[in-house]
Amino acid sequence: MVAPCLRHQVGRHHQKALWCCVATSTAQERTGRIGGRWTPWLFVAPSLAIVVAVTIFPTLYSLYLSFFRWEPTLADKPFIGFGNYQELFSTGRFVNALAVTALITIVGVALELAVGFWFADFVLADRRGQRLVVALMLLPVMVMPVVVGYTWRLLWDAAYGPINQILGWILLRPVEYTWLGQTSTALLAIIVTEVWQWTPFMFLILYAGMSTLDGEIYEAAEIDGAGTWQQFWRMTVPLMLPIVIVAVLIRAVDSIKMFDVIYTLTGGAPGTSTETASYYIYQVGYQFFRLGYGAAASIVLLLILSVLLTFLLRALRSRMA
Amino acid sequence: MFARRRPLWKRLLRWIIYAAVLAFFLFPIFWIFMTSIKSASEYMHSPPIWFPAAPDLSSFRRAVEVGGLDAMRNSIIVSSVSTLLALLVGSFAAYGLARYEVGGENLPFFFLSQRFLPPVVVIFPFLLMFKTLRWIDTYQALIVVYLTFNLPYTIWMMRSFFKEIPREIEESALVDGASAVGAFWHVALPLAVPGLIATGIFCFIFSWSEFFFGLTLTNIRATPLSVFLPGLFGKQMIMWGEVGALSVMAVVPLFVLSFLVQRFLVRGLTMGAVK
Amino acid sequence: MQFRTFRKYAALVLVGSFVLLAMTQCAPAAAPAPAAEQPAAAQTGPAATVEDSCTNAVEQAKQFAGSTINVVWESGLQPEDPKVFGPKFTELTGVNVTIVEIPYVDMYTKQLQDYVTGGGAYDVLTLAPIWLKDLVNAGALEPLNPYIDKYMNKADLDDYLDVYGSDGYARIGDTWYGLPDDGDVFVMYYRKDLFADPGNQEEFKAKFGYELAPPKTYQEFDDIGRFFTEKYSAEGIYGGAFQHLEGQAWDWFVGPFSGAGGQFFDTETMDATINSAAGVKVLSDMVKASEWMPPGVQKWGFTEVLSAWLDGKLAMIITWPPVGRWSEGIGKGTDQLSWVPETKVVGNVGYAPEPGGRSALAGGFALGVSPNSQNKDAAYLFAQWMNCPATSLERVMLPFALRDPFRKSHFASEEYKALWPTAGEYLQTLESAAMQGQLELGIPGGREYMVALDQAITAAYAGADPQAALDEAAGKFNAITDRLGRDTQKEAYSQWLQGQWAQPGPKQ
């Protein structure tokens, strides 16, 4: 097997390229390869090296940093144990940032899923013009998040933005509300902006998945007297569930990392009420140059993300199998 | 779903809903383009003006004058090189994973999990590491850093593309005396070109849109377009016209690229979960 | 995953990490010294007195012809000034000048980061007084005294208006770290026509019991603003506005707070006293004033206030000096100002100090030199040339520049006074407001404190209780103080308070 070889190698050589008793590996037998014993690992070695250098090592370094007070304007950089972590949870600002992140993620992804699902179903009901619709729905996903943020900031503007203008037409009286000026509506604005950009993502995935569904089972259900609603809930949803789970988890993980839109749309204001975790870390860790503290906060974020990630990977795994 | 004859009012309703949904999703894009061709008095106007009286391209001119093209060039360079590097190294690894099942079931998922790493986790170490290497504000810093996403993504995608290629072709090459690496390079890779293109375009899109690392690791020399844009928000000025022009410059290339890769779009977005 | 595979990966990871960790630890941790050689020190004659800083800067800079210096400047409209003068300098000396534009909120971080990471990207730095102590503590500013001694006519140092040449603005003690380059002070612009209108005067007197005149106290400011909004809002004209946008909202707190005698800290304990009765009153007043300001003012930045003002929609504004020049239509039609709306208030603008008792010396810029620069002399000479009396006068008169008069010679300039009929009044107001001005908090961490204050203010604008918001800010202040060292902060604060322009209290 592969594993015993590696254990042996690491102990002796401290190398990443490992020669292995490939002759006894089932993979080898399966593919009928003969190339050198080390060949399979040669393929993976450069990537593994890069990943370790660029991801694993910095993450561990971050962990290491998180136990220090590291600021350029201070003379020494002392070891402070869990001091940074204590500070993280003592002020409530970081916890608030996590809460904001969770809120935007949960509400945003739920809306994206609902709207995406509904629209995919809607489009598939009658296939005319579908290519055009798909092509157009692609565009929001392709817009740079920074551009999305600034564009929506202009749209939400109380005086210069068309949203108030359009609302005014609908309500038949002038609307001059400052959407980004109140926490509640600022969060709403952020969610709408995110939903705008990522619903097409959901739509495209679900559309692709649903278009492979066999029309015959629906015909059969129709004949049996099932209405559209029943068809949807009892047939479409269960069949699409694996894909939905993957899509939702991808979106959730990406949403938790959210930074660009907050930076451009609200800057965390009013006060600090619309800060997300990443934005808070950026402000305190980078803008104020508190590297140790920032590292600690990011480790906490990573831990939270890892939990979510485990579910995602399991779902992907079962889907891949 | 199967098509059926619908009463007129239902078809009308359908068109209305279509229009409404598409209007919602395309409106902001429309607004970006309009802002970029409005004159200054038109984009700072209350109530907002939707269509400029006469298209005014001076925002584009000013955007270029303040250095927009340089930023664009930086983005192109960094995105392209990082993508190519990821494709090269990544497909190499993907081949090993696909054909030799290196690392069993766990290594592929190990690679995949790296794609989800929050940038904030690694930025502080990167700052210190790059300071030592004197790589702050250089192309190579961004190229390497973009690999945090591009490489795992490429490995994952190309692995599934390689798995779709029938083994027989490579096996016959091996029987003819090719080495394992040779089989990869001369046989498998050419066959996987569609996959390379699709994956490459997604890597490019990610690198192009990336903001956080660009913001924190560059100053003046290697500033990408995504970071250049916020630079137009000064203490005493927001140059919305130039922002609009740069936004157009930022999204049009991606729009074009995405049309090219439509076929693989969903697969690319879901990393192969949906084919 | 199986434990075997886990162990395998863990081993790989650990091994690889240690290898790489070892590699990076070998390299020196401190900022590396510039690798290239410094150009040979400038040859000058014996230390004779320099007659004219401007010409001498040009003369001395010629020996550096062919080199390039990178100059940090605030992005937006500010760079229009060096974009005109940079090429002039190149023409005169052969030194290439590249302007690097950075958004204001990032300037401190980027310049500090460049220094700390040894990037060496910048030669000429732009510093604001509020960053001075922190930058100096980090070693990120080159002391300029040797260069001043060598190149400058010392009389020019005395030409700075007292406040701009004071300790803590661009110098600490006798060491100069920057050449003050911008006379930023808040003034109030008001519509003379609206104030002078007899109908308005009568109605106002009847309603409030005193004459309608430019407000001196915040209460008067509130009364007048409310009056104008009530009377004119149907026509789209409001009593006034000032910036509420997050990031800078705190600057409009500094003046009135000082005017009310408010202090940021208790001098004995160094506890934050931002949430004192004075602070809460000022913040409540600011929130109350927002009621009669135009809708959406909560997100108004400089551009929005300026546009509304030039459009004739506001009776009063509190903002920086450039607006005075633009109000008079100076330089309209130039390309750089194409975004500035056509001014409808020409000839109707009056000038007064900021209401509330003190005018905030909000912002302010000085030109410094980076210790990592490869061309320190050339960098310094460029700064000196831009800053010298003759060149700087040209610059502060520029229609599209955001640099404001800062030298005594500027304020006395007949040329300036001739720019528009009331220019003399304008200069006078700027000068007296500055001389009675209140400096922004000039102790280490100043910026961080102000960000916490800004957050409290924007929260209050959004409806939070001012006392609660300021209490939270005070908590943040104390955390910062503790982190930086309570004793060192206390010493820095009491030292700073000795400055004439740092002491709170009403002065106008």
Side-chain angles (χ1 to χ4, degrees):
Chain A
M1 294 296 122
V2 175
C5 294
L6 268 167
R7 216 176 26 214
H8 176 64
Q9 256 55 294
V10 164
R12 270 172 55 193
H13 291 277
H14 299 267
Q15 300 264 349
K16 252 152 281 341
L18 304 153
W19 39 273
C20 197
C21 11
V22 164
T24 63
S25 102
T26 40
Q28 177 71 353
E29 285 159 12
R30 242 185 284 138
T31 57
R33 282 288 169 271
I34 305 178
R37 299 176 164 200
W38 45 268
T39 304
W41 281 96
L42 171 68
F43 282 108
V44 172
S47 294
L48 212 46
I50 293 178
V51 164
V52 170
V54 149
T55 313
I56 306 292
F57 171 68
T59 307
L60 290 175
Y61 197 170
S62 226
L63 184 61
Y64 171 76
L65 264 183
S66 70
F67 296 117
F68 288 79
R69 171 168 298 148
W70 210 110
E71 297 175 47
T73 51
L74 294 179
D76 45 61
K77 321 241 183 305
F79 176 79
I80 55 171
F82 282 98
N84 282 327
Y85 292 95
Q86 278 171 339
E87 192 188 334
L88 267 178
F89 292 102
S90 67
T91 57
R93 189 169 157 198
F94 182 58
V95 175
N96 183 63
L98 290 174
V100 167
T101 313
L103 175 71
I104 296 175
T105 301
I106 294 172
V107 175
V109 175
L111 282 175
E112 290 158 28
L113 180 64
V115 176
F117 219 148
W118 165 78
F119 195 53
D121 192 57
F122 180 83
V123 169
L124 283 166
D126 181 351
R127 298 208 179 208
R128 285 177 299 176
Q130 267 173 24
R131 284 210 65 193
L132 180 65
V133 171
V134 170
L136 289 175
M137 287 297 276
L138 239 184
L139 300 183
V141 177
M142 297 297 151
V143 180
M144 236 184 230
V146 179
V147 171
V148 172
Y150 283 132
T151 308
W152 275 91
R153 181 161 155 178
L154 192 52
L155 294 181
W156 289 111
D157 192 279
Y160 302 116
I163 290 180
N164 276 350
Q165 190 184 28
I166 295 173
L167 281 176
W169 294 337
I170 297 175
L171 297 174
L172 297 172
R173 60 175 176 81
V175 174
E176 288 164 330
Y177 191 70
T178 315
W179 294 94
L180 298 173
Q182 297 293 322
T183 306
S184 52
T185 52
L187 287 172
L188 174 74
I190 295 170
I191 291 174
V192 170
T193 307
E194 282 284 287
V195 164
W196 176 83
Q197 179 160 40
W198 297 108
T199 301
F201 172 81
M202 283 292 194
F203 161 75
L204 290 166
I205 292 170
L206 294 167
Y207 169 80
M210 280 162 74
S211 58
T212 60
L213 292 177
D214 189 357
E216 285 181 6
I217 49 171
Y218 286 93
E219 285 187 28
E222 185 96 1
I223 292 169
D224 282 348
T228 6
W229 197 240
Q230 276 186 309
Q231 286 177 32
F232 182 76
W233 279 106
R234 281 155 166 269
M235 296 168 62
T236 315
V237 169
L239 284 170
M240 293 294 297
L241 205 55
I243 293 180
V244 164
I245 291 176
V246 170
V248 163
L249 286 173
I250 292 176
R251 266 307 299 147
V253 169
D254 278 342
S255 178
I256 288 178
K257 299 194 282 174
M258 199 166 100
F259 175 78
D260 307 13
V261 169
I262 302 293
Y263 183 94
T264 52
L265 201 58
T266 64
T272 54
S273 55
T274 60
E275 283 182 335
T276 54
S278 288
Y279 187 79
Y280 172 71
I281 295 172
Y282 166 77
Q283 250 237 341
V284 179
Y286 179 79
Q287 283 221 315
F288 292 136
F289 263 117
R290 299 182 55 195
L291 270 56
Y293 185 69
S298 64
I299 294 289
V300 172
L301 183 65
L302 181 64
L303 287 173
I304 294 174
L305 203 69
S306 306
V307 171
L308 203 60
L309 208 51
T310 329
F311 288 115
L312 170 57
L313 292 179
R314 271 202 216 135
L316 268 176
R317 226 189 252 254
S318 56
R319 174 105 189 107
M320 302 270 91
Chain B
M1 307 294 169
F2 50 94
R4 45 183 179 185
R5 294 268 334 227
R6 290 159 178 264
L8 183 64
W9 69 269
K10 263 199 177 175
R11 276 193 293 172
L12 208 59
L13 183 65
R14 203 177 160 73
W15 280 110
I16 293 175
I17 294 181
Y18 254 130
V21 172
L22 285 175
F24 173 72
F25 284 106
L26 296 177
F27 182 71
I29 297 175
F30 159 79
W31 201 259
I32 298 173
F33 280 90
M34 285 297 115
T35 305
S36 69
I37 57 174
K38 285 180 198 163
S39 66
S41 55
E42 285 172 331
Y43 60 70
M44 287 296 279
H45 193 274
S46 175
I49 294 175
W50 288 45
F51 296 96
D56 176 3
L57 294 179
S58 61
S59 292
F60 284 97
R61 180 175 54 82
R62 278 198 303 277
V64 169
E65 274 170 18
V66 297
L69 279 185
D70 286 337
M72 206 164 173
R73 176 205 66 201
N74 291 341
S75 280
I76 292 175
I77 291 177
V78 174
S79 303
S80 313
V81 175
S82 192
T83 300
L84 287 172
L85 203 56
L87 285 179
L88 191 65
V89 179
S91 53
F92 197 52
Y95 187 72
L97 291 176
R99 287 286 182 251
Y100 297 92
E101 318 254 328
V102 177
E105 285 196 353
N106 297 313
L107 192 54
F109 281 93
F110 169 75
F111 277 124
L112 178 63
S113 64
Q114 306 310 318
R115 172 235 184 268
F116 294 104
L117 187 77
V120 286
V121 175
V122 290
I123 186 58
F124 303 113
F126 275 152
L127 280 172
L128 295 174
M129 282 157 61
F130 287 155
K131 163 191 155 184
T132 311
L133 292 168
R134 312 215 68 190
W135 272 15
I136 293 286
D137 201 20
T138 56
Y139 289 143
Q140 54 268 32
L142 287 181
I143 291 169
V144 164
V145 152
Y146 288 169
L147 288 178
T148 56
F149 173 94
N150 287 342
L151 192 59
Y153 182 76
T154 303
I155 293 174
W156 187 254
M157 291 289 290
M158 289 310 297
R159 173 174 172 263
S160 89
F161 279 113
F162 278 129
K163 275 190 186 283
E164 285 171 9
I165 300 174
R167 295 171 183 274
E168 292 75 41
I169 311 175
E170 290 151 73
E171 284 178 0
S172 62
L174 283 164
V175 164
D176 284 349
S179 67
V181 177
F184 163 74
W185 190 254
H186 292 113
V187 179
L189 205 55
L191 286 173
V193 162
L196 282 176
I197 294 177
T199 308
I201 289 182
F202 275 103
C203 286
F204 188 87
I205 290 173
F206 162 75
S207 307
W208 182 266
S209 306
E210 205 283 330
F211 176 61
F212 183 77
F213 284 129
L215 180 68
T216 51
L217 294 173
T218 64
N219 267 332
I220 51 173
R221 296 179 280 239
T223 315
L225 192 55
S226 57
V227 176
F228 186 75
L229 239 168
L232 297 173
F233 283 69
K235 167 173 87 173
Q236 288 167 333
M237 172 58 171
I238 296 182
M239 302 159 79
W240 282 115
E242 284 82 333
V243 170
L246 283 173
S247 301
V248 169
M249 283 161 65
V251 301
V252 164
L254 293 196
F255 283 177
V256 169
L257 282 179
S258 67
F259 276 124
L260 295 175
V261 79
Q262 267 208 326
R263 191 155 66 103
F264 297 103
L265 202 67
V266 174
R267 185 164 175 176
L269 286 176
T270 58
M271 295 177 303
V274 179
K275 292 222 171 87
Chain C
M1 55 165 72
Q2 292 188 321
F3 187 62
R4 268 185 307 185
T5 37
F6 173 77
R7 273 195 299 172
K8 167 177 71 173
Y9 293 134
L12 266 175
V13 159
L14 278 165
V15 162
S17 316
F18 281 124
V19 169
L20 285 161
L21 194 58
M23 276 166 47
T24 54
Q25 289 303 337
C26 289
E37 294 162 23
Q38 289 269 1
Q43 301 299 320
T44 51
T49 36
V50 176
E51 283 307 316
D52 184 328
S53 303
C54 300
T55 46
N56 195 48
V58 167
E59 282 311 306
Q60 296 298 334
K62 284 183 181 164
Q63 63 191 291
F64 300 110
S67 58
T68 305
I69 51 170
N70 295 322
V71 179
V72 171
W73 215 269
E74 188 205 350
S75 67
L77 197 68
Q78 283 265 16
E80 301 300 338
D81 152 17
K83 278 184 189 167
V84 166
F85 285 87
K88 268 196 198 176
F89 187 73
T90 308
E91 216 184 331
L92 289 170
T93 64
V95 176
N96 297 312
V97 174
T98 310
I99 305 296
V100 178
E101 301 180 35
I102 306 180
Y104 183 72
V105 294
D106 289 331
M107 282 177 90
Y108 171 78
T109 313
K110 286 290 185 186
Q111 289 178 108
L112 185 59
Q113 181 206 44
D114 182 66
Y115 175 73
V116 166
T117 57
Y122 312 129
D123 299 293
V124 177
L125 304 176
T126 297
L127 56 132
I130 198 174
W131 311 331
L132 180 64
K133 298 279 165 55
D134 285 315
L135 287 174
V136 169
N137 283 350
L141 289 175
E142 176 84 359
L144 297 179
N145 289 29
Y147 302 91
I148 293 176
D149 290 337
K150 212 198 284 189
Y151 296 120
M152 193 197 277
N153 177 355
K154 289 285 197 52
D156 289 346
L157 289 177
D158 296 324
D159 189 34
Y160 294 132
L161 192 63
D162 299 1
V163 52
Y164 301 128
S166 67
D167 195 341
Y169 201 83
R171 66 176 170 98
I172 297 183
D174 288 322
T175 314
W176 288 87
Y177 289 98
L179 302 177
D181 199 54
D182 191 5
D184 271 339
V185 61
F186 275 165
V187 289
M188 184 179 65
Y189 300 98
Y190 64 94
R191 290 281 299 280
K192 286 202 291 203
D193 51 334
L194 290 175
F195 275 71
D197 175 76
N200 288 343
Q201 294 214 338
E202 255 182 66
E203 287 172 42
F204 185 81
K205 179 98 184 264
K207 190 157 182 194
F208 290 96
Y210 59 92
E211 298 291 338
L212 177 63
K216 295 218 163 41
T217 67
Y218 222 84
Q219 182 59 50
E220 290 170 11
F221 179 63
D222 191 60
D223 290 339
I224 297 174
R226 212 168 284 275
F227 170 74
F228 279 119
T229 298
E230 264 168 30
K231 180 158 183 193
Y232 289 108
S233 62
E235 299 164 47
I237 297 178
Y238 293 81
F242 55 77
Q243 277 177 242
H244 281 50
L245 191 63
E246 69 268 358
Q248 289 191 279
W250 61 273
D251 255 332
W252 281 262
F253 178 88
V254 171
F257 183 59
S258 172
Q263 286 219 19
F264 284 108
F265 300 98
D266 177 301
T267 37
E268 284 303 310
T269 60
M270 203 55 191
D271 270 335
T273 50
I274 189 86
N275 53 349
S276 59
V280 176
K281 173 95 180 37
V282 170
L283 185 53
S284 312
D285 285 345
M286 285 164 76
V287 174
K288 204 164 67 132
S290 312
E291 289 165 13
W292 45 262
M293 292 188 184
V297 74
Q298 218 178 336
K299 284 289 178 178
W300 276 28
F302 180 77
T303 325
E304 285 84 353
V305 173
L306 176 72
S307 294
W309 168 258
L310 292 178
D311 217 21
K313 298 275 194 310
L314 301 169
M316 305 180 282
I317 57 173
I318 300 170
T319 187
W320 282 281
V323 175
R325 301 197 284 282
W326 293 338
S327 302
E328 298 303 321
I330 310 285
K332 68 174 178 189
T334 56
D335 190 42
Q336 292 93 338
L337 283 182
S338 57
W339 60 275
V340 177
E342 195 68 26
T343 164
K344 299 188 179 139
V345 298
V346 182
N348 283 325
V349 180
Y351 317 104
E354 187 179 352
R358 285 293 277 279
S359 288
L361 291 155
F365 282 133
L367 297 174
V369 172
S370 167
N372 280 351
S373 166
Q374 317 266 20
N375 295 307
K376 290 188 206 173
D377 285 83
Y380 171 79
L381 289 168
F382 175 73
Q384 179 175 305
W385 179 75
M386 289 283 269
N387 188 259
C388 70
T391 322
S392 60
L393 179 60
E394 268 184 76
R395 289 169 59 220
V396 299
M397 286 200 309
L398 272 180
F400 47 79
L402 290 182
R403 287 307 210 238
D404 309 307
F406 59 93
R407 285 182 175 281
K408 294 175 186 158
S409 51
H410 297 164
F411 291 106
S413 158
E414 290 306 320
E415 221 183 311
Y416 205 118
K417 291 179 191 168
L419 280 178
W420 73 91
T422 45
E425 234 179 273
Y426 168 75
L427 286 175
Q428 221 178 346
T429 310
L430 287 182
E431 189 177 350
S432 60
M435 287 301 282
Q436 294 157 350
Q438 167 67 50
L439 283 172
E440 294 172 346
L441 186 62
I443 62 175
R447 202 173 136 266
E448 238 186 290
Y449 289 116
M450 291 304 106
V451 167
L453 174 60
D454 191 73
Q455 287 161 354
I457 295 175
T458 54
Y461 283 147
D465 171 47
Q467 179 75 60
L470 285 175
D471 286 337
E472 198 180 324
K476 291 179 189 170
F477 272 45
N478 289 334
I480 297 170
T481 306
D482 287 330
R483 208 184 80 233
L484 296 176
R486 202 161 267 257
D487 293 320
T488 25
Q489 288 298 84
K490 182 170 153 187
E491 209 183 295
Y493 185 59
S494 40
Q495 221 183 9
W496 178 73
L497 273 184
Q498 285 168 16
Q500 177 184 350
W501 291 276
Q503 289 157 8
K507 281 193 182 175
Q508 56 209 18

